[in-house]
Amino acid sequence: MKLNNIFIIISAFCLMACNGNKSNQDKLNINSVLEGADGSGLEISAESMTSIIESIPSPLEVAMVIKESGNDFNEGLLNPQDNSRLYTTDQEKAMNIGIYGGDIGYINMFGKAYLTVNYLTSIKKLADAIKIGQFFDFSTIKRLASNSDKMDSLIFLTTMNFNKMDEFLRNQKRTNLSILMVVGTWTEGLYIATQVAQKSDNKEITEWIGCQKMIVDQLLLGLSAYKNDDYFRKLISDMNNLKEQYNKVEIIYEYHEPESQEIDGRLVIVDKSTSTVKITPEQIIQIGKIVDQMRLRLISNL
Amino acid sequence: MATILLVNKISFKTNENDRPTQKKICSLLFFVLFALLYPLGVFGQCDNDITLNNCASKLGTYNFIKYFTVGANQKKKSNPEFSYVFSTGSKYIMIACNENVVGGKMIVSLYDREHNLVASTYDESTKSYYDKLIYSCSATGVYYIRASFIDAKKGCGMCILGFDND
C-alpha cells in the first residue's frame, strides 16, 4: 500500500516532467518557426542577430572622441524634438528612438543635462507607442539631471534604459525593431562625426569615421534579414551607397602579440596590434553627404 | 509540500525493518524532485538586477557600455561568447562579477578578430585570478568576450563592459 502510494506520486511527477519537457520542445519549435518567419529575406538565426546588434559600438564612444578633440557641443546637429510627432509607424518610431539615442549620447557626454530630460521625454513618447516605455524611471532621471555632479549616473541610467529596451524587443521576437534602433543610433553618431570632421581636421575623428567600414557590413547583414519589407529595402539601398564609398577606404591590420601586466590588482593589457586607416578628406565629404541624405530622409519621414 | 506531508505520514507507520526501503524511496523522491525542479531554474537562478548594481559600482571612471549575463540556465552554449567592436584609442574595462553560492568564479577571456586569445582574467598555470581586465585598443575590430567558470563549474555571472579614452 505504501509502495503503491509512492509509485502514484512518482508517476504523477514523471508525467508532469514529461509534459514540461514537451512544452519546452514546443517552445523551441515555435521559436525556430518565428525566427524563420519574422523576415522573409536572408535567414539569420536569433543568436547571430543578437551578436550583430550587441557588437555595434555605443554612441558614447564617438561622442567622447569628439569631446576629446576639443570641439564644442553643437545643438544644431541634433534631431529636433518636435520631429517626434512625425513618426507614425512602429518602424519609424524604432528608428527615431535610435536616432534620439545617438543624440542623448552626444548630449550626455558634453554634460548638457538640461537637454537630456527633454530628449528622453521624446524618446519615452515613442517608446510607449511601441510598448517599450516601461524601462524609463523619469523621477530618477529628472533628479540626476538637476545635479551636474550626477552626470555619470545619468549616463549609466540612460544607457541601461536603451540596453533594456533592446533586450526586451529581442526577447519579444521583435528583432526587426531592435535592429532599426541600432541603425538609428549608429547613423546619428556617424552623422555628427562627419559634420564635425568637415569643420575641424582631427585625426581621431577621421580614423573613427574610417573604421565604421566594418560596421556598415555588420548592419547590412542584419538588415538583409528583412529585405522584403519596403522600409528596410530603402534603408538597405542607403546603406549600400555608404558601403560603396567605404569600399574606397583601406584598413590595414597587423597582428602582434599583446603584453600584459598587473597594476593595482587589475590585469592591464597593452595591445601591440595596429590598424591603419587610409581615408582622404574627399572620402569624408562623400560619406558625410550620403549619411546626411539618409538621416534627413529618416528624421523627416520623406 | 503535499509530497513532504505524505512522506512524513508514511514514515510514521514504518518500523525498523522498513528503514532500507524507506531510504531508497527518499533517495528516489529526491532525484525525482531534483529532475523536476532543475529545468525550472530553482537551483540556478541569477538575480541580474542585484548583480548589475553591485558590478556597475566597480566601473570607477569608466563609462558603462553594456552588460552580458551568464546564467546557470544559459540555454545554448556552455561558454557563451559576446562580440563588440573595439576602437583604436579607447581603453576598455571588462569586469567579471559573480553572485555564486556554489558555482566557480567566472572567467572573462578576450579574443581578437581571428580568435587569438588576447587576455583572460584567470591564469591556469599560476592560478591567478583578476576580476577586472583593462585593454588599451590600438587596432579597431570585432573582439570576442567569452565567459566560463573556473574548473568548468556552472554558475551565475555578469560581465560589464566600459570604456574610457586612452
Side-chain angles (χ1 to χ4, degrees):
Chain A
M1 182 66 186
K2 280 178 285 183
L3 273 175
N4 278 350
N5 277 340
I6 302 293
F7 276 124
I8 289 166
I9 295 161
I10 291 168
S11 306
F13 275 132
C14 285
L15 278 172
M16 280 162 64
C18 295
N19 193 35
N21 286 339
K22 187 176 178 294
S23 77
N24 270 346
Q25 275 174 353
D26 286 348
K27 265 186 204 165
L28 286 176
N29 291 338
I30 289 164
N31 287 348
S32 23
V33 171
L34 279 169
E35 277 169 21
D38 67 352
S40 45
L42 180 72
E43 273 192 34
I44 299 176
S45 70
E47 201 179 343
S48 304
M49 192 61 104
T50 297
S51 181
I52 292 169
I53 290 168
E54 287 190 336
S55 68
I56 307 303
S58 157
L60 287 168
E61 290 196 56
V62 63
M64 182 173 269
V65 173
I66 293 168
K67 190 184 172 192
E68 295 288 316
S69 70
N71 280 281
D72 291 331
F73 178 76
N74 181 356
E75 197 176 328
L77 295 176
L78 308 176
N79 179 17
Q81 275 179 267
D82 287 349
N83 278 356
S84 62
R85 65 191 156 77
L86 300 173
Y87 316 128
T88 50
T89 68
D90 284 2
Q91 291 166 327
E92 289 160 5
K93 284 168 188 160
M95 171 59 75
N96 282 281
I97 287 172
I99 289 175
Y100 282 133
D103 289 337
I104 283 283
Y106 182 53
I107 289 167
N108 282 348
M109 193 49 75
F110 279 81
K112 308 291 178 190
Y114 64 96
L115 283 170
T116 306
V117 175
N118 295 345
Y119 270 78
L120 282 176
T121 306
S122 299
I123 291 170
K124 170 92 164 82
K125 205 187 301 171
L126 295 174
D128 280 340
I130 56 170
K131 298 180 177 59
I132 53 170
Q134 64 272 34
F135 300 107
F136 288 89
D137 175 3
F138 255 85
S139 57
T140 309
I141 287 169
K142 278 179 185 162
R143 183 170 49 78
L144 293 174
S146 64
N147 186 346
S148 58
D149 292 341
K150 300 282 182 190
M151 212 56 214
D152 287 350
S153 305
L154 190 59
I155 289 174
F156 174 74
L157 195 63
T158 47
T159 308
M160 270 304 303
N161 289 158
F162 270 83
N163 280 355
K164 289 199 166 176
M165 283 196 296
D166 170 55
E167 198 179 336
F168 182 77
L169 281 174
R170 278 183 281 127
N171 288 339
Q172 295 272 309
K173 305 291 171 198
R174 295 158 80 196
T175 312
N176 57 334
L177 299 185
S178 178
I179 186 96
L180 289 179
M181 261 174 58
V182 169
V183 170
T185 307
W186 175 81
T187 303
E188 190 70 345
L190 184 61
Y191 167 75
I192 294 173
T194 49
Q195 292 298 309
V196 174
Q198 287 175 66
K199 288 188 179 112
S200 71
D201 182 26
N202 179 275
K203 187 172 169 272
E204 280 74 33
I205 301 176
T206 304
E207 275 189 7
W208 185 90
I209 294 168
C211 285
Q212 300 313 297
K213 179 179 182 169
M214 59 189 79
I215 307 294
V216 175
D217 289 335
Q218 294 254 79
L219 291 177
L220 265 171
L221 183 63
L223 291 170
S224 61
Y226 308 99
K227 67 180 177 187
N228 292 338
D229 181 295
D230 268 353
Y231 190 86
F232 279 84
R233 205 163 30 236
K234 282 181 194 161
L235 199 53
I236 290 169
S237 165
D238 287 337
M239 290 293 284
N240 274 325
N241 290 339
L242 258 181
K243 185 178 163 62
E244 209 174 295
Q245 273 306 317
Y246 267 112
N247 284 341
K248 298 169 190 165
V249 176
E250 201 182 346
I251 302 175
I252 303 155
Y253 175 74
E254 275 181 45
Y255 175 77
H256 298 283
E257 197 80 29
E259 281 177 9
S260 60
Q261 54 195 130
E262 189 185 323
I263 300 173
D264 298 331
R266 296 179 302 188
L267 189 61
V268 179
I269 311 300
V270 182
D271 190 5
K272 296 286 176 185
S273 299
T274 56
S275 62
T276 312
V277 182
K278 290 188 174 178
I279 184 167
T280 64
E282 181 56 31
Q283 285 164 350
I284 294 277
I285 292 169
Q286 289 309 318
I287 290 169
K289 269 185 190 167
I290 295 168
V291 78
D292 185 18
Q293 285 165 6
M294 172 178 160
R295 174 190 180 263
L296 188 65
R297 184 179 68 74
L298 295 170
I299 65 167
S300 317
N301 234 358
L302 297 170
Chain B
M1 190 66 178
T3 320
I4 296 164
L5 289 172
L6 194 55
V7 171
N8 285 339
K9 197 180 161 190
I10 293 162
S11 63
F12 288 145
K13 291 180 181 175
T14 56
N15 56 36
E16 291 294 313
N17 297 333
D18 286 337
R19 278 208 175 144
T21 320
Q22 190 187 336
K23 266 187 183 175
K24 276 182 193 168
I25 290 164
C26 285
S27 306
L28 189 61
L29 264 178
F30 174 78
F31 283 116
V32 169
L33 281 172
F34 185 82
L36 284 168
L37 295 173
Y38 189 81
L40 298 175
V42 168
F43 300 109
Q45 280 180 341
C46 310
D47 193 331
N48 291 339
D49 284 341
I50 292 174
T51 313
L52 178 59
N53 288 335
N54 293 341
C55 204
S57 62
K58 297 176 185 171
L59 272 168
T61 56
Y62 285 81
N63 292 289
F64 172 75
I65 296 178
K66 57 181 66 192
Y67 66 92
F68 306 107
T69 54
V70 185
N73 52 355
Q74 196 84 26
K75 283 170 192 163
K76 290 178 182 171
K77 288 180 180 174
S78 53
N79 291 341
E81 189 176 82
F82 309 95
S83 55
Y84 189 77
V85 175
F86 284 6
S87 301
T88 303
S90 286
K91 196 160 63 175
Y92 295 90
I93 189 167
M94 281 142 277
I95 306 172
C97 296
N98 302 277
E99 294 291 329
N100 299 320
V101 182
V102 275
K105 278 188 174 177
M106 192 175 88
I107 305 167
V108 173
S109 304
L110 180 69
Y111 295 83
D112 71 5
R113 68 186 67 195
E114 275 138 17
H115 275 91
N116 298 307
L117 177 67
V118 177
S120 175
T121 55
Y122 182 60
D123 185 343
E124 178 77 54
S125 58
T126 60
K127 305 282 179 200
S128 313
Y129 180 81
Y130 305 89
D131 64 351
K132 288 177 189 169
L133 184 71
I134 294 170
Y135 178 66
S136 291
C137 180
S138 60
T140 298
V142 178
Y143 286 77
Y144 300 92
I145 300 164
R146 194 177 293 168
S148 57
F149 290 89
I150 289 179
D151 299 329
K153 284 181 185 169
K154 283 188 176 180
C156 290
M158 178 177 282
C159 174
I160 286 201
L161 179 66
F163 85 100
D164 202 354
N165 240 28
D166 226 352

